[in-house]
Amino acid sequence: MIQNNKDEIVAVATAPGRGGVGVVRLSGAADLSPYLTGLVGRQTMDPRLATYCRFRDAQGEVIDEGIALYFPSPGSFTGENVLELQGHGGTVVLNRLVLRCVELGARLARPGEFSERAFLNDKMSILEAESICALINAKTEEAALAARESLSGKITQDLFQIDALILQTRIQVEALLDFSEEDIETDGLKTIESHIKNCKEEILVLIKRLEKNKLLFETSKVAVIGKPNTGKSSLINFLTEEDVSIVNKQAGTTRDVVSKMFSLNGIPVTIFDTAGIRETSDSVEKEGKEKALNQAASANIILYLYDVTIGIDNDDMKILDSLKKINKNILIIANKIDLVTKNTFIETKKNNVEKNLFISIKENINMDLLRSKILEYLKLVISDSSSGIYHIKQVKHLKAAYKEINDIEVNLIELEIIAEKLKQTQENISMILDNS
């Protein structure tokens, strides 16, 4: 059901749980004086001035006491009249204040509705609204910094600079069309070539930044799969830098799915340690095997671990065939290369048709390479997803702009083609700027 944007809406604006201070926010296009009267016994309040008040229920009993702030339209977050009540951060107290606002005529706000109204009232762009959501949900410091940068308008500023340089270059190219080839100096072409090169580089930087943001704003899921005693638990502990999983020589010590969220070069990743997969009559291990396969199906990528001293045997091949039916994003990892001789290792690498990654968790061999490979796989897998629809469109238009400008070859014969491709490049950039 579509709800009326003219309703007054109310919600707790601070995080759930207990705290020293809690905030209730009320917003509406109409006059909020009935709420001021019903809550704090006033008909008016000085704008943007913190005022100490007692918040009362319908019988006049004090619910709490604290600070009230009134922001008249349009000088508020939503662009409407806004009243904020800052009281003590107990769940019961804040819920009572919300209920009192509902009694006075407000309705509970939907998730994100305050930001939605800010957008509808031209207080923020879609990009800023999505950036706020990303900032609130950031799970690593790097994700928070990227969201803050996006919210500050840095990407938009960069796009305006690129757009201005393309426009300048278009003017230069179109001016040359009025001259004969004999009258055109080579310095003019060199300047155009330099501008185009700079634009290409800046567009590519933005594409890479936004593609990395996809990883920053989403929590990727990585499942570690393999037979017992291949080093799955050791790998989890190494990557998370914590003793998350039990490490033991006895096979079958992990029987359930163990998960842990960690930061991989600033990228939030949830990694899943699963039961070792093998043929067994143990009902608990069988259930663990089923859970491992279910987890593999829902993961962004699978890290399949095997013991290089044993090699990939028929059981491994059967497991890999099963995995490929449910998830094609598999990185095969050969562990324990510190335990094989040099000649054996060379021979194993020669037969490496699956392009396996060779590591030793115990001796920290190729572990940085493993981290890089995981990030590389995640970038490929999550290329079609995003923290928001607008973000997808940004990348789409930037890639289209890059394709047009990257096809340009600067020479006198193709000046008309250059002018047209620069026009197409600028149109794609404008598609982003028109909505930012």
Side-chain angles (χ1 to χ4, degrees), residues 75-360:
S76 68
F77 175 76
T78 61
E80 301 175 330
N81 298 313
V82 170
L83 177 64
E84 288 192 356
L85 308 175
Q86 301 179 9
H88 294 95
T91 304
V92 174
V93 171
L94 294 174
N95 285 343
R96 287 189 66 196
L97 286 175
V98 169
L99 181 60
R100 180 67 182 128
C101 291
V102 171
E103 288 173 352
L104 291 166
R107 65 169 172 81
L108 293 175
R110 291 178 279 105
E113 191 170 3
F114 289 102
S115 294
E116 179 187 276
R117 290 194 174 191
F119 167 69
L120 292 173
N121 292 322
D122 294 325
K123 299 296 287 186
M124 67 171 67
S125 65
I126 297 176
L127 175 59
E128 287 172 322
E130 289 188 352
S131 299
I132 288 172
C133 181
L135 184 61
I136 291 168
N137 293 309
K139 294 181 174 66
T140 66
E141 185 178 345
E142 196 169 341
L145 289 170
R148 182 60 243 176
E149 180 187 62
S150 184
L151 185 57
S152 72
K154 177 69 168 62
I155 292 173
T156 304
Q157 290 168 19
D158 291 345
L159 284 167
F160 272 118
Q161 288 176 1
I162 294 168
D163 184 66
L165 187 55
I166 293 171
L167 178 60
Q168 181 186 339
T169 311
R170 280 183 66 191
I171 292 168
Q172 289 172 322
V173 171
E174 288 170 16
L176 292 180
L177 287 170
D178 296 330
F179 295 92
S180 63
E181 291 184 19
E182 293 79 14
D183 295 330
I184 297 174
E185 296 179 1
T186 55
D187 286 349
L189 284 177
K190 285 180 179 177
T191 303
I192 290 168
E193 192 169 23
S194 175
H195 287 343
I196 289 173
K197 181 174 178 287
N198 289 338
C199 288
K200 279 168 57 176
E201 289 172 354
E202 291 300 320
I203 292 170
L204 197 57
V205 165
L206 280 179
I207 290 171
K208 287 180 178 178
R209 191 194 306 173
L210 289 172
E211 286 185 334
K212 185 179 181 184
N213 284 356
K214 291 177 186 178
L215 294 175
L216 289 171
F217 299 155
E218 299 177 15
T219 302
S220 305
K221 293 190 288 186
V222 176
V224 183
I225 307 287
K227 295 192 301 186
N229 275 352
T230 54
K232 298 185 301 298
S233 297
S234 297
L235 179 60
I236 301 277
N237 293 345
F238 183 91
L239 290 172
T240 61
E241 298 180 358
E242 290 185 34
D243 289 332
V244 176
S245 300
I246 298 170
V247 177
N248 196 289
K249 289 181 180 179
Q250 182 183 336
T253 50
T254 303
R255 295 191 168 201
D256 206 345
V257 176
V258 178
S259 66
K260 175 69 179 178
M261 203 203 87
F262 72 105
S263 172
L264 182 63
N265 292 6
I267 306 297
V269 174
T270 299
I271 194 160
F272 298 88
D273 186 11
T274 61
I277 299 175
R278 62 174 177 177
E279 292 302 322
T280 178
S281 58
D282 188 312
S283 60
V284 178
E285 275 200 63
K286 281 184 177 179
E287 187 178 347
K289 176 183 174 181
E290 284 181 21
K291 285 188 174 183
L293 292 173
N294 289 337
Q295 195 60 64
S298 63
N300 294 113
I301 63 168
I302 296 168
L303 305 182
Y304 186 82
L305 220 60
Y306 74 92
D307 186 339
V308 74
T309 62
I310 300 170
I312 291 188
D313 57 21
N314 289 333
D315 290 336
D316 288 299
M317 295 308 296
K318 285 179 184 177
I319 297 167
L320 282 166
D321 285 341
S322 299
L323 292 173
K324 286 173 183 176
K325 290 175 184 175
I326 56 175
N327 193 333
K328 295 188 183 300
N329 305 304
I330 304 172
L331 175 58
I332 302 173
I333 304 163
N335 186 28
K336 306 183 184 181
I337 60 169
D338 56 304
L339 299 180
V340 297
T341 64
K342 186 177 179 180
N343 289 336
T344 304
F345 178 60
I346 291 169
E347 191 62 33
T348 305
K349 287 198 79 173
K350 277 183 184 177
N351 300 322
N352 185 19
V353 282
E354 292 272 4
K355 294 185 179 177
N356 303 344
L357 181 63
F358 295 91
I359 67 166
S360 168

Side-chain angles (χ1 to χ4, degrees), residues 402-413:
Y402 183 77
K403 183 180 183 301
E404 292 292 344
I405 202 166
N406 194 46
D407 286 343
I408 293 175
E409 291 184 14
V410 179
N411 58 65
L412 291 173
I413 302 170

Side-chain angles (χ1 to χ4, degrees), residues 23-58:
V23 178
V24 171
R25 179 184 285 164
L26 174 75
S27 180
D31 179 18
L32 297 186
S33 57
Y35 296 92
L36 291 172
T37 303
L39 281 160
V40 300
R42 296 165 174 255
Q43 286 190 325
T44 60
M45 188 172 285
D46 292 332
R48 290 172 291 280
L49 181 68
T51 307
Y52 171 76
C53 302
R54 286 187 173 88
F55 312 134
R56 300 180 184 274
D57 63 17

